Amino acid sequence: MENLLDGIEDILLMGPGPSCVHDKVYEALGKKSIGHLDPYFIRIMDAIKADLRTLLNTENTLTIPMSGTGSSGMEACFVNLVEKDDPVLVLINGVFGMRMQDVAQRLGATVDTLEFEWGTPVVVDAVKTKIAQKHYKIVAVVHAETSTGVKNPVAEIGALLKGSDTIYLVDAVTSLGGMEIDMDAWGIDAIYSGTQKCLSCPPGLAPLSFSNKAVAALENRKTKVPNWYLDLSLIMKYWKGATRAYHHTAPINMHYGLYQALQLILEEGPDNVYRRHLHFHHELVKGLEALGLSMLVAPASRLPMLNSVRVPEGVDEAAVRSTLLREYKIEIGAGLGPLAGKIWRIGLMGHTARQENVTRLLTALKANLF
Ligand SMILES: Cc1ncc(COP(=O)(O)O)c(C=O)c1O
């Protein structure tokens, strides 16, 4: 009988995620499963919480990986914090800001938005004016907008909200592990990420952290969290304290993978990891520009881990991606929404951000485009 797994090729993952996975993480994923209440597994859980706190620069007790992909982290933040008619402001400059708006609206929040041109960052002064006009329970923004390659001014928006009772909610799916996040200093109250970007794990877990302010909002809800699976007040009984209570069966081996991926980042040193991302981003941009290509985003707002490149006039962008995948075993991403057909999205996430990968892609693009 054919086994489809035998046909899986070694693809260089240079798209918007998933990213390349280190062999040590694959080895970790293949270790024997143990029980989700085994005291040894609880030690691994505690180590993951501590490592996530280090990477996020936070003291928050409620810092855990949610079961599910990045979107489960997004849902978890909103579903635990939003009650019907709560005023929420979502800052939008790409697909994932739009997804936040959708999630908050489905929960019955009164959602206002501030929208910015795709490929440009959120403008801090516009946020300042908006929050002076109306009080919001939550202000939400995406740190690294994967659909465009734009870095949003998360620290500056946090500074506007300091001292207020507004909850500051940040999407760090693409940024965590690839650029600095200073959760406590930046005044972030709720944050979520995903394993398959700069943490260089396969998809499957969503690191999440809540400040005391966010926990208080959860504890003081007038109504029950309307989703049993994502209710953090229930989930914390499994992740905290001397006696751990079953909530759902934790995806054991994914936690092994995340544990190992975090170890790799902490061993290299987070600052070195961020510098490596930035260095190979500059190398890639230099190489792309030498090929006559231009970047979508202005230099000051470019993400190191997600590079949006304009497709030159007359080039069939899908054909280029398909040749790269078929003949060169390299995956890059297409544009989304208004940028479909107009850009390629080249990821340099986590373990992918290495010289050999930059060189291999530039060589393949050169052979293909000209
Ligand atoms: C910024 C951002 N937020 C949220 C998500 C959703 O994560 P997932 O696809 O893992 O559910 C993604 C995925 O690409 C993302 O890039």
Side-chain angles (χ1 to χ4, degrees), residues 16-17 68-72 74 96 99 142-147 171-174 192-197 203-205 345 349:
T69 65
S71 304
S72 80
M74 186 191 289
F96 296 101
R99 189 175 297 182
V142 177
H143 190 194
E145 188 37 271
T146 328
S147 59
D171 174 315
V173 171
T174 286
Y192 60 90
S193 186
T195 42
Q196 77 276 21
K197 312 270 186 181
L205 292 174
R345 291 180 301 146
M349 298 181 177

Side-chain angles (χ1 to χ4, degrees), residues 33-319:
S33 292
I34 56 177
H36 62 277
L37 289 168
D38 185 313
Y40 200 81
F41 186 65
I42 289 167
R43 280 184 63 192
I44 295 175
M45 292 164 69
D46 289 346
I48 291 172
K49 284 193 296 186
D51 290 349
L52 285 176
R53 278 198 287 266
T54 304
L55 204 55
L56 286 165
N57 285 300
T58 184
E59 301 286 324
N60 294 341
T61 311
L62 203 176
T63 303
I64 60 170
M66 301 295 288
S67 303
T69 65
S71 304
S72 80
M74 186 191 289
E75 293 267 8
C77 284
F78 282 102
V79 84
N80 281 278
L81 295 172
V82 168
E83 293 191 78
K84 195 166 167 353
D85 298 330
D86 278 347
V88 172
L89 175 65
V90 183
L91 311 174
I92 300 179
N93 56 349
V95 165
F96 296 101
M98 288 174 65
R99 189 175 297 182
M100 283 180 156
Q101 177 190 14
D102 188 10
V103 169
Q105 279 172 339
R106 283 166 191 251
L107 293 166
T110 303
V111 184
D112 290 348
T113 61
L114 266 182
E115 301 193 24
F116 304 88
E117 195 185 334
W118 289 33
T120 69
V122 167
V123 176
V124 179
D125 278 346
V127 182
K128 191 174 177 181
T129 308
K130 191 82 180 164
I131 61 175
Q133 289 163 350
K134 180 170 168 181
H135 176 265
Y136 289 99
K137 177 172 177 187
I138 298 173
V139 171
V141 69
V142 177
H143 190 194
E145 188 37 271
T146 328
S147 59
T148 62
V150 163
K151 173 175 62 181
N152 278 322
V154 164
E156 292 81 348
I157 298 164
L160 296 179
L161 297 170
K162 278 221 177 112
S164 76
D165 62 357
T166 299
I167 292 168
Y168 187 28
L169 196 169
V170 173
D171 174 315
V173 171
T174 286
S175 52
L176 183 65
M179 57 203 273
E180 190 197 5
I181 296 178
D182 216 339
M183 182 166 187
D184 291 354
W186 295 353
I188 301 170
D189 295 300
I191 203 165
Y192 60 90
S193 186
T195 42
Q196 77 276 21
K197 312 270 186 181
C198 295
L199 297 176
S200 270
C201 238
L205 292 174
L208 168 149
S209 183
F210 268 30
S211 70
N212 290 339
K213 189 158 102 187
V215 172
L218 169 60
E219 286 172 352
N220 294 326
R221 288 180 66 98
K222 294 190 262 333
T223 53
K224 246 185 175 178
V225 174
N227 180 307
W228 180 87
Y229 192 69
L230 299 174
D231 184 340
L232 286 164
S233 54
L234 302 177
I235 292 174
M236 277 314 278
K237 294 184 181 139
Y238 175 54
W239 279 89
K240 203 178 133 195
T243 48
R244 306 291 175 107
Y246 163 71
H247 177 258
H248 64 275
T249 311
I252 303 295
N253 292 50
M254 270 312 297
H255 287 86
Y256 298 164
L258 175 58
Y259 170 82
Q260 182 60 67
L262 290 167
Q263 291 265 300
L264 287 171
I265 292 173
L266 297 181
E267 275 162 21
E268 185 176 343
D271 289 342
N272 295 331
V273 173
Y274 307 150
R275 266 194 292 274
R276 174 164 56 75
H277 279 82
L278 208 52
H279 175 75
F280 291 114
H281 156 72
H282 290 312
E283 289 294 296
L284 178 69
V285 171
K286 209 161 57 182
L288 291 169
E289 288 177 346
L291 292 177
L293 297 169
S294 67
M295 307 300 291
L296 174 75
V297 179
S301 301
R302 282 179 197 159
L303 290 172
M305 69 286 283
L306 197 286
N307 300 270
S308 294
V309 193
R310 287 201 176 86
V311 176
E313 205 65 41
V315 169
D316 179 347
E317 76 82 20

